Structure formats: structure tokens, C-alpha cells
Amino acid sequence: DWTLCEVNQLPDEVYALPCYVGLDYASTRDITAIAFVFVDLSADRLYVKVDMRMPKSAALTYQDDYNIPYEDWQKANYIQLVPKKTLEGIEEKKAIAQTIIDASKRYQIQRVCYDKTGTDQIINDLIESGLTVEPINWSAYGIGSATKSLQARIIEQSITVEKNDCLAWQARTVEVVADKAGAIIPNKAGLSEVSKDHWKKIDGIAAILYAMARALQHGLQKEIEEPISKWSGRIFIAGK
């Protein structure tokens, strides 16, 4: 249960741990998410907090049409609603990059992992700041192990997530697709703008998976090797 992994605030000592950043950028109708995943090798535990932002016009449309409480989430500091129609302007992209650069002054960032779509300006700014960056493919090869590991850690409660109701809502909407070998990834294609489920969002989860794809290589004990071919449908459960 996702909610059993939540805490109101991560302990201060977490911020001295190695940190991997996942960036899932969206310019118009989706959420841009920045996940910070901290690795505690001694306890074999991950700590997670996620920064999210979205064009306010898109959020209000989803709120009116599907009763998704984006304004309440903004008031609780779970998401930032940007007063622009898109986040594809230079100013908006620089603000996203600056969020990560500022965090690097407080956190021990090892690597920024990202989806390449539309992120050139952001990544250039990160590189100029001295951060190490790496693109991650949205595929079984890129995030398959991270997807299995995240599910296992939620079940075992070996991951601690800073409370964010917008993120918990996304966790409830995640569904996976599996190949014949049992490799699984969340079904992002099923949430495209032309699908009936386009109002569902999993961008915060995607950002966590990008970061975990490299955090798992930091020497953690739990590596999920066996295929889980029986999985289908929703895999992250934040409450019934």
C-alpha cells in the first residue's frame, strides 16, 4: 500500500545520502515531474520526494471536466500551477533546470536521468552547471528493473515517500504492460491525449522510475531478477 510508505516530511539526515534525479518533462497538458531518490545503502532503503508543476490552464480544464482537485493540491504545495499555457518557453525551461541546480547545492546529486523529449534546453543548462546527465529509454530495457523494484519496495515498505496527494493519486492510476518474458513497464501509451484515459497522469511515477533506473546500480541489495509475468492491470495501490 503506497500510503504505508508515506511520511509527512523526509528526515533531515536523508539529504546527505547519494541522490539520483529523475526528470519527466511535459510542455502542455501533462505534469512535469522532478523526482529526488536518495539511496541509503546501510538500510537498503530508498527515500523519495517529487517536485511537480503544470500549466494552470490545463489543470483547471481537468479539474472542471474530471473533478481532479489540482487547486487544492497547489494550496497544499503538492504541485505548482504555472500561469502559462505551456511550459515550453525558455523562461519555463530555465526554471525547471534551476530547481535541479538549486537542489544540487543541498543534495549529493550523482546523476540526472531524463526522457529526451523536449528537454534540450533544460539538459544544456544542467550540463553547464556541472551536473552529470543521462537519458533513459521508456522501455523494458530502460525502466523494467526499476518498475519491478518499485513495486517490490512498496509491498515490503523499503521505500519512504514524502507525502504528496497528487503523487498518491498518480500511483493509483498506474497500469502496466508486460512482454512474454515478464518484463513490465507502466502503460504510458494508454494515457495519450487521444485516449479515453488522457486525464490520468503518471508523470511523477515516471520520474521516480527514471531515477531508480540508475539508483539501483548504486550497490543496493534488492535487485529484482525473476520475471513477474502474472502481473497485469494496476500494480501500485495507494488505497481502496
Side-chain angles (χ1 to χ4, degrees):
D1 191 321
W2 181 273
T3 58
L4 295 178
C5 299
E6 290 182 323
V7 295
N8 288 331
Q9 190 171 3
L10 296 183
D12 288 342
E13 57 268 24
V14 164
Y15 301 126
L17 297 171
C19 176
Y20 290 81
V21 178
L23 170 62
D24 189 63
Y25 169 75
S27 62
T28 54
R29 298 181 64 82
D30 283 339
I31 295 168
T32 289
I34 305 168
F36 300 94
V37 176
F38 302 89
V39 180
D40 186 345
L41 287 176
S42 62
D44 195 30
R45 173 170 291 275
L46 299 178
Y47 294 86
V48 176
K49 66 184 302 181
V50 179
D51 173 288
M52 289 180 283
R53 65 197 70 191
M54 185 181 198
K56 186 171 184 177
S57 57
L60 294 183
T61 297
Y62 286 125
Q63 181 170 282
D64 292 343
D65 292 349
Y66 299 99
N67 200 31
I68 303 168
Y70 280 111
E71 286 186 301
D72 289 344
W73 288 337
Q74 177 177 237
K75 291 175 184 176
N77 294 319
Y78 295 144
I79 190 170
Q80 176 185 354
L81 302 184
V82 181
K84 296 287 182 72
K85 290 185 177 181
T86 76
L87 300 184
E88 61 188 1
I90 293 177
E91 179 183 349
E92 289 71 44
K93 288 187 175 182
K94 282 190 172 295
I96 293 167
Q98 195 61 50
T99 296
I100 299 173
I101 293 168
D102 289 345
S104 71
K105 299 171 184 176
R106 307 188 305 273
Y107 309 154
Q108 307 301 312
I109 293 179
Q110 310 295 302
R111 194 172 297 263
V112 180
C113 306
Y114 65 98
D115 177 357
K116 290 190 290 187
T117 306
T119 56
D120 288 354
Q121 177 66 55
I122 299 169
I123 298 307
N124 287 341
D125 287 354
L126 297 180
I127 292 172
E128 288 181 6
S129 76
L131 287 166
T132 300
V133 303
E134 180 180 354
I136 303 292
N137 290 325
W138 186 265
S139 64
Y141 174 79
I143 61 166
S145 293
T147 303
K148 291 179 182 179
S149 181
L150 179 56
Q151 172 65 0
R153 286 181 177 277
I154 292 168
I155 293 170
E156 298 170 4
Q157 298 177 39
S158 60
I159 186 170
T160 300
V161 182
E162 186 163 284
K163 179 178 171 62
N164 184 312
D165 289 350
C166 180
L167 182 63
W169 168 71
Q170 293 174 53
R172 289 195 295 271
T173 70
V174 174
E175 296 181 355
V176 301
V177 289
D179 61 21
K180 293 181 179 179
I184 60 170
I185 63 170
N187 182 18
K188 224 178 181 185
L191 306 182
S192 67
E193 289 189 15
V194 297
S195 77
K196 64 181 178 62
D197 290 331
H198 66 91
W199 56 273
K200 297 179 180 179
K201 305 298 174 190
I202 63 169
D203 308 282
I205 302 299
I208 293 171
L209 292 174
Y210 289 139
M212 283 186 62
R214 290 299 169 264
L216 291 177
Q217 298 179 357
H218 198 91
L220 290 164
Q221 296 173 27
K222 289 187 177 67
E223 284 286 355
I224 311 302
E225 299 292 346
E226 70 279 4
I228 309 181
S229 56
K230 294 182 180 179
W231 284 6
S232 61
R234 189 171 297 163
I235 61 169
F236 304 127
I237 303 176
K240 298 181 180 179

